[in-house]
C-alpha cells in the first residue's frame, strides 16, 4: 500500500527534485512517512522521517540530493509504528545496500531472529529491514547482487515491489515484484524510472513497461533489462504507450485532486462511453449464458456493484448477488457452481481481497471472471477471462469519485447490450434507456454548474452534526452507502448508509430533534414507500435533507433541505441515477471536509490501494 519511486539518469537533472516530485505523485498510497536515498561517489545519502511529504520536505530539504540515481518511498505503516526509524529506505549493517519496499514479508520474524543470531544489527521494527541484511549475507557467500536478490526472495514469503541500490553497482537500480505493482518508465538513452503506479512518471515519459509477478528489472540510465526470477533468465518485454494526458496526474487549477476528479466526471464518462460495443457484447453474452452471477469489489467498487446488480438484472432477468470480495470465498465455499460468472470491480486492479476472491473462484470451479478496472496491466487483468478498462484517467484523490461513475456507466453499457441481445424490450424502449445513459455527462455538468452554493450552504447548516443517516430503497441504497462512505472518509463524520425500510427496525432509536437524515429519492417504484419513511423520521424531529429530481414535489415538501438533480423523473433516467446523483454527495463530503479544515486528499489512516488482507 506504500508507494515507491526510482530514477536513474545520465542527464544533468536535479535528482532530488525528480525523486521528490515522483514520490509526491504517489502520496495517495500512504502518508505516514517518507524517505529518499541517492548514491554518489561511493556513498549513500539518506533523508527520511515520519509525517506527510510536505512536512518532512520543510525539515529535510528532500529535493536536495547529489548523484544521478535515487529511490524514494512513501509509507502506509503495517509493521512498526509510523516513526523515523521505521521509515524507508532500510539499509544493512555495513550501510552499502538501501531498500524501499511496498508489500509485506510475512515470515520476517523468523528471518530476523536468524539474522540477529548471526550477528546482524537491526534498527527498525519493519518487515522490510530483513531484505538488505539477507542480501548482505548472500553477497558474502560470493553471489553478485542480482543472484543474491533472487536467492533472498526464495526464502521471503509474502508480497513485494522492491527497489534496491548497492554501492558496488553505482549505475543501476534493481527492482522486483510479486503481488505489489511496479511499472517502469523510460526516456530511451537518457533516464529510467520505476514506480508503484504510472502517474508518478507521467509528466516525464509516456513509454512504460509493466512488470509482472516474479519479474526483475535492472534499470540503467535510459535502458532496462528484464529477468524471470524463477529461472534467472533474461526476458523480452514490449513497451506500452500511455494514453493518459500529462496533466491528468496534476491538480491543475484545483485545490485538491478530489475536487478536480469530481469535476472531471463528465469527461471521464464521455471517454468511457467510447469503449467499443464489442467489448460490452462479450460481457453480455457470457452473462446471458451463465447460471449464477456474482458481482464483487471492496469499498466504493462494492457500492458500484450494488447499483450494477440492479442495472444488469433489469435487462438480464436473472438475480445477481453482490458479495463483498473479502466474504466471497467464505460465503461460496460450499456452493460455488461451475457455470458461474463473477463480475469483479476494482479501480486499481490491485485490491488484494478482490484478487484473492477471483483467483480462488477460478481455481475451485473454473468460473468465468469478468473484470472492470481503471488500470491497464493491473493484477486483476491477469486473473480475468475478460477485462474492460474504464477510461476515467488516473485518480489520485484517495476517495474514489470519477472511477465509481465510470464503473456504473460500464455496467449500464453492458446491460444495454444484454437488452439488445435478449430482445425482451422493444427497440424504442432500449433507445430511451440508451439516451438516458448517454445523457449522464450533461446532467452532471449541469448540476456542477449551478449547485455549488447550495451544497456549501447545506454543509454550513449541518456544521454541528457529526452523525448522520443516509437512507434509500432499492437501487439507491448503493448510492446512500457510497455517499455516506465519502463523508466518512474525507470529512470524518459518522454515517450509517442503510435501507430506509430497515431503519425503523432499530436505527430510528437514535433519532432526536435535528438529527440529520439524508434521503436519496429518485422517483422510481420505491418512491411512494420512501415518502412514508421520510415521514416516520420527520415525525421524530429529524432534519430531512433530500436528493431528488428536478420536478420532485412530495419529498421536497417534507424536507428541510432539497438538492435537485437536473434530470427527468422517468424510469429511463431513474435506472442510471447511481451515476447522476453521486456527484452531489461527493461534493457534500468534499465541502464538509474543507469546512472542518480536513485535507480531503489525505484522509487519516487510509491508502488508496489496499494490498494487505
Ligand atoms: C474509496 O473512496 C475508497 N478509498 C476505497 O473504499 C476503495 O474503493 C476500495 O479500497 C477499493 O479499491 P479498488 O476499487 O481499487 O479495488
Amino acid at each position: 500500500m506504500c508507494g515507491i519511486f526510482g530514477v536513474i539518469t545520465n542527464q544533468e537533472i536535479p535528482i532530488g527534485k525528480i525523486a521528490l516530485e515522483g514520490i509526491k505523485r504517489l502520496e495517495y498510497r500512504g502518508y505516514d512517512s517518507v524517505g529518499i536515498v541517492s548514491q554518489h561517489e561511493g556513498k549513500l545519502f539518506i533523508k527520511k522521517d515520519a509525517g506527510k511529504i510536505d512536512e518532512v520536505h520543510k525539515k529535510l530539504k528532500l529535493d536536495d540530493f547529489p548523484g544521478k540515481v535515487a529511490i524514494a518511498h512513501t509509507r502506509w505503516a503495517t509493521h512498526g509504528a509510523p516513526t523515523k526509524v521505521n521509515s524507508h529506505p532500510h539499509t544493512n549493517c555495513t550501510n552499502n545496500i538501501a531498500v524501499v519496499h511496498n508489500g509485506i514479508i510475512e515470515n520476517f520474524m523468523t528471518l530476523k531472529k536468524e539474522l540477529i543470531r548471526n550477528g546482524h544489527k537491526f534498527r527498525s521494527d519493519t518487515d522490510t529491514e530483513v531484505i538488505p541484511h539477507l542480501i548482505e549475507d548472500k553477497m558474502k557467500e560470493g553471489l553478485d547482487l542480482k543472484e543474491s536478490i533472487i536467492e533472498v526472495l526464495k526464502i521471503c514469503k509474502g508480497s513485494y515491489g522492491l527497489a534496491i541500490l548497492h554501492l558496488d553497482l553505482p549505475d543501476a537500480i534493481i527492482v522486483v515484484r510479486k503481488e505489489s505493482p511496479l511499472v517502469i518508465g523510460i526516456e530511451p538513452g537518457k533516464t529510467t524510472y520505476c514506480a508503484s503506479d504510472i502517474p508518478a512518471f507521467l509528466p516525464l515519459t509516456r513509454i512504460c513497461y509493466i512488470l509482472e509477478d516474479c519479474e526483475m528489472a535492472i534499470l540503467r540510465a535510459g535502458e532496462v533489462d528484464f529477468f524471470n526470477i524463477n529461472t534467472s533468465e533474461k526476458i523480452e518485454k514490449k513497451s506500452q504507450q500511455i494514453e493518459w494526458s500529462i496533466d491528468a496526474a496534476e491538480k491543475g487549477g484545483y485545490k485538491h485532486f478530489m475536487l478536480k476528479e469530481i469535476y472531471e466526471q463528465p469527461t471521464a464518462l464521455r471517454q468511457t462511453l467510447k469503449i467499443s460495443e464489442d467489448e460490452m457484447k462479450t460481457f453480455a453474452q457470457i452473462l446471458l449464458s451463465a447460471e449464477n452471477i456474482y458481482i464483487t469489489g471492496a469499498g466504493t467498487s462494492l457500492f458500484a456493484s450494488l447499483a450494477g446488480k440492479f442495472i444488469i438484472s433489469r435487462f438480464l432477468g436473472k438475480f445477481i448477488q453482490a458479495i463483498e470480495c473479502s466474504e466471497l470465498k467464505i460465503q461460496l465455499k460450499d456452493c460455488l457452481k461451475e457455470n458461474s460468472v463473477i463480475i469483479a470491480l476494482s479501480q486499481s486492479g490491485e485490491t488484494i481481497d478482490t484478487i484473492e476472491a477471483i483467483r480462488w473462484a477460478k481455481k475451485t470451479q473454473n468460473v468465468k471472471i469478468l473484470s472492470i478496472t481503471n488500470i491497464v496491466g493491473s493484477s486483476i487483468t491477469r486473473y480475468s477471462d475478460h477485462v474492460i478498462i474504464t477510461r476515467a484517467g488516473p485518480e489520485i484523490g484517495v476517495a474514489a469519485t470519477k472511477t465509481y461513475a465510470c464503473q456504473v456507466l460500464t455496467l449500464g453499457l453492458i446491460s444495454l447490450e444484454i437488452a439488445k441481445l435478449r430482445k425482451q424490450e422493444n427497440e424504442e424502449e432500449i433507445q430511451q434507456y440508451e439516451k438516458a445513459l448517454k445523457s449522464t455527462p450533461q446532467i452532471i455538468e449541469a448540476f456542477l454548474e449551478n449547485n455549488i452554493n447550495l451544497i456549501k450552504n447545506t454543509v454550513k447548516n449541518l456544521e454541528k452534526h457529526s452523525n448522520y443517516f443516509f437512507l434509500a430503497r432499492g437501487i439507491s441504497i448503493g448510492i446512500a452507502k457510497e455517499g455516506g462512505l465519502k463523508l466518512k472518509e474525507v470529512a470524518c463524520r459518522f454515517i450509517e448508509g442503510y435501507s430506509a425500510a430497515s431503519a425503523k427496525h432499530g436505527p430510528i432509536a437514535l433519532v432526536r430533534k435535528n438529527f440529520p437524515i439524508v434521503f436519496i429519492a429518485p422517483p422510481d417504484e420505491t418512491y411512494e414507500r420512501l415518502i412514508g419513511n421520510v415521514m416516520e423520521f420527520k415525525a421524530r424531529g429529524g432534519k430531512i435533507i433530500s436528493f431528488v429530481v428536478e420536478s420532485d414535489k412530495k419529498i421536497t415538501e417534507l424536507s428541510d433541505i432539497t438538492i435537485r438533480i437536473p434530470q427527468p423523473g422517468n424510469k429511463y433516467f431513474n435506472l442510471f441515477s447511481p451515476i447522476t446523483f453521486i456527484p452531489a454527495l461527493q461534493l457534500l463530503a468534499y465541502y464538509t471536509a474543507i469546512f472542518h479544515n480536513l485535507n480531503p486528499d489525505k484522509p487519516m489512516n487510509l491508502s488508496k490501494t489496499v494490498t494487505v488482507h
Side-chain angles (χ1 to χ4, degrees):
M1 300 169 65
C2 308
I4 64 181
F5 182 80
V7 50
I8 182 160
T9 187
N10 53 24
Q11 304 291 294
E12 291 306 321
I13 50 174
I15 205 77
K17 187 168 177 278
I18 306 279
L20 174 63
E21 285 170 1
I23 203 63
K24 247 191 99 57
R25 286 190 283 266
L26 292 174
E27 204 177 8
Y28 64 84
R29 303 181 69 90
Y31 25 84
D32 288 331
S33 70
V34 57
I36 300 180
V37 52
S38 78
Q39 69 160 306
H40 183 58
E41 295 179 345
K43 267 197 207 152
L44 291 178
F45 294 82
I46 298 179
K47 294 180 189 178
K48 62 180 190 175
D49 209 344
K52 298 202 174 85
I53 297 179
D54 284 343
E55 293 159 14
V56 178
H57 174 45
K58 256 190 206 151
K59 278 197 282 184
L60 301 180
K61 290 206 166 66
L62 291 177
D63 57 351
D64 186 16
F65 279 88
K68 290 182 179 290
V69 52
I71 56 177
H73 187 270
T74 184
R75 180 167 185 246
W76 188 84
T78 57
H79 295 58
T83 58
K84 179 173 178 174
V85 279
N86 288 333
S87 310
H88 298 218
H90 291 288
T91 53
N92 58 324
C93 296
T94 48
N95 284 319
N96 58 345
I97 303 168
V99 173
V100 294
H101 171 214
N102 167 28
I104 290 180
I105 305 302
E106 288 159 7
N107 57 338
F108 84 101
M109 280 307 275
T110 321
L111 297 169
K112 187 169 174 175
K113 277 185 195 150
E114 178 76 14
L115 284 160
I116 291 171
R117 262 200 302 278
N118 294 338
H120 285 266
K121 298 266 180 294
F122 276 75
R123 301 172 186 109
S124 77
D125 303 321
T126 66
D127 51 332
T128 305
E129 199 183 348
V130 297
I131 296 171
H133 291 281
L134 288 167
I135 296 174
E136 179 182 312
D137 274 4
K138 287 292 168 198
M139 291 188 80
K140 274 191 201 144
E141 289 170 17
L143 297 178
D144 67 13
L145 179 60
K146 175 184 154 227
E147 288 307 323
S148 299
I149 295 171
I150 290 175
E151 288 307 307
V152 165
L153 295 178
K154 283 183 188 158
I155 52 174
C156 288
K157 293 200 180 98
S159 57
Y160 42 79
L162 286 168
I164 301 166
L165 294 184
H166 193 299
L167 287 182
D168 290 353
L169 207 64
D171 59 350
I173 302 174
I174 298 194
V175 300
V176 211
R177 84 155 269 177
K178 188 182 149 225
E179 289 169 24
S180 298
L182 250 185
V183 283
I184 315 291
I186 188 159
E187 290 177 77
K190 293 180 181 166
T191 307
T192 311
Y193 310 93
C194 61
S196 303
D197 205 349
I198 291 166
F201 53 67
L202 194 60
L204 304 161
T205 181
R206 284 153 164 270
I207 307 171
C208 146
Y209 294 91
I210 291 162
L211 217 58
E212 304 286 340
D213 274 354
C214 301
E215 287 181 356
M216 168 185 271
I218 302 186
L219 278 53
R220 293 200 159 78
E223 305 170 15
V224 56
D225 290 315
F226 297 98
F227 301 87
N228 178 316
I229 61 168
N230 296 324
T231 62
S232 290
E233 275 167 18
K234 199 166 171 183
I235 47 175
E236 292 305 319
K237 284 181 88 72
K238 272 204 180 136
S239 65
Q240 303 190 13
Q241 189 74 20
I242 307 302
E243 283 168 15
W244 288 343
S245 81
I246 289 175
D247 62 3
E250 308 288 345
K251 270 189 225 157
Y254 292 90
K255 202 162 172 229
H256 295 101
F257 279 111
M258 184 179 177
L259 189 62
K260 175 180 180 237
E261 288 158 4
I262 291 172
Y263 273 85
E264 278 174 351
Q265 284 175 117
T267 310
L269 290 168
R270 285 192 180 105
Q271 290 301 327
T272 301
L273 280 167
K274 288 185 193 156
I275 297 174
S276 78
E277 256 185 44
D278 285 351
E279 289 183 60
M280 304 297 164
K281 201 174 270 169
T282 306
F283 272 48
Q285 278 158 338
I286 292 170
L287 292 172
L288 278 163
S289 58
E291 253 167 59
N292 304 293
I293 303 169
Y294 306 98
I295 185 163
T296 194
T300 294
S301 292
L302 176 68
F303 298 148
S305 306
L306 295 184
K309 75 170 195 164
F310 276 92
I311 295 173
I312 293 188
S313 29
R314 168 73 191 78
F315 301 109
L316 187 65
K318 292 181 196 172
F319 176 70
I320 300 179
Q321 194 174 345
I323 308 184
E324 186 183 327
C325 54
S326 55
E327 288 288 309
L328 190 130
K329 178 176 168 185
I330 196 80
Q331 290 192 23
L332 296 182
K333 70 179 172 14
D334 300 320
C335 53
L336 184 63
K337 303 238 163 51
E338 237 176 87
N339 191 13
S340 300
V341 171
I342 296 181
I343 308 171
L345 303 184
S346 174
Q347 182 285 128
S348 62
E350 302 291 347
T351 298
I352 192 86
D353 287 337
T354 311
I355 305 283
E356 193 181 74
I358 60 174
R359 289 184 76 179
W360 168 80
K362 185 96 215 145
K363 205 166 130 206
T364 312
Q365 286 296 0
N366 195 23
V367 305
K368 281 230 157 48
I369 310 294
L370 307 179
S371 293
I372 299 173
T373 180
N374 195 40
I375 306 293
V376 181
S378 56
S379 298
I380 204 168
T381 62
R382 278 189 289 282
Y383 306 122
S384 305
D385 295 284
H386 298 277
V387 179
I388 292 177
I389 308 284
T390 52
R391 299 198 184 157
E395 189 178 69
I396 312 289
V398 169
T401 51
K402 59 178 178 170
T403 53
Y404 161 90
C406 289
Q407 285 173 338
V408 182
L409 179 84
T410 304
L411 293 162
L413 289 168
I414 295 166
S415 76
L416 292 177
E417 280 312 312
I418 292 171
K420 287 177 198 164
L421 290 169
R422 198 159 166 252
K423 297 192 169 77
Q424 295 288 304
E425 258 86 8
N426 66 43
E427 260 176 46
E428 204 187 309
E429 189 79 350
I430 298 172
Q431 276 167 12
Q432 293 286 356
Y433 280 109
E434 199 158 13
K435 194 173 144 216
L437 187 62
K438 289 187 173 163
S439 308
T440 54
Q442 286 118 268
I443 295 168
I444 294 175
E445 237 155 31
F447 180 83
L448 294 174
E449 255 169 48
N450 299 314
N451 289 281
I452 301 307
N453 284 339
L454 172 62
I455 298 282
K456 285 183 179 167
N457 290 338
T458 307
V459 167
K460 197 149 178 7
N461 191 302
L462 296 172
E463 72 179 292
K464 293 200 183 74
H465 300 281
S466 42
N467 300 307
Y468 303 64
F469 284 134
F470 274 46
L471 305 181
R473 283 175 170 254
I475 194 170
S476 303
I477 293 177
I479 314 179
K481 285 184 184 284
E482 172 56 10
L485 176 66
K486 292 290 89 95
L487 209 59
K488 270 184 198 144
E489 280 185 293
V490 305
C492 263
R493 311 284 99 186
F494 180 78
I495 284 95
E496 180 87 285
Y498 220 74
S499 137
S502 295
K504 62 175 160 295
H505 295 277
I508 201 166
L510 293 174
V511 175
R512 303 283 182 279
K513 194 166 167 41
N514 277 334
F515 188 105
I517 302 128
V518 171
F519 283 92
I520 315 298
D524 60 16
E525 64 270 41
T526 68
Y527 184 83
E528 293 299 327
R529 289 244 163 116
L530 194 74
I531 293 175
N533 300 134
V534 174
M535 291 177 82
E536 289 152 13
F537 280 83
K538 198 173 168 61
R540 285 157 181 84
K543 182 184 280 193
I544 310 294
I545 304 106
S546 59
F547 289 72
V548 297
V549 297
E550 197 71 67
S551 56
D552 186 272
K553 286 205 172 67
K554 292 182 187 168
I555 288 193
T556 302
E557 272 171 24
L558 298 170
S559 304
D560 297 284
I561 301 173
T562 309
I563 293 165
R564 313 182 93 76
I565 311 301
Q567 70 181 49
N570 64 41
K571 64 175 181 181
Y572 310 110
F573 286 85
N574 288 340
L575 188 65
F576 303 118
S577 55
I579 305 171
T580 47
F581 274 52
I582 206 67
L585 291 151
Q586 295 164 345
L587 283 171
L588 185 71
Y590 174 80
Y591 284 111
T592 308
I594 300 300
F595 191 85
H596 292 283
N597 278 327
L598 295 163
N599 180 348
D601 283 347
K602 289 179 198 146
M604 258 177 68
N605 307 328
L606 288 185
S607 163
K608 188 159 182 70
T609 311
V610 180
T611 51
V612 293
H613 292 291

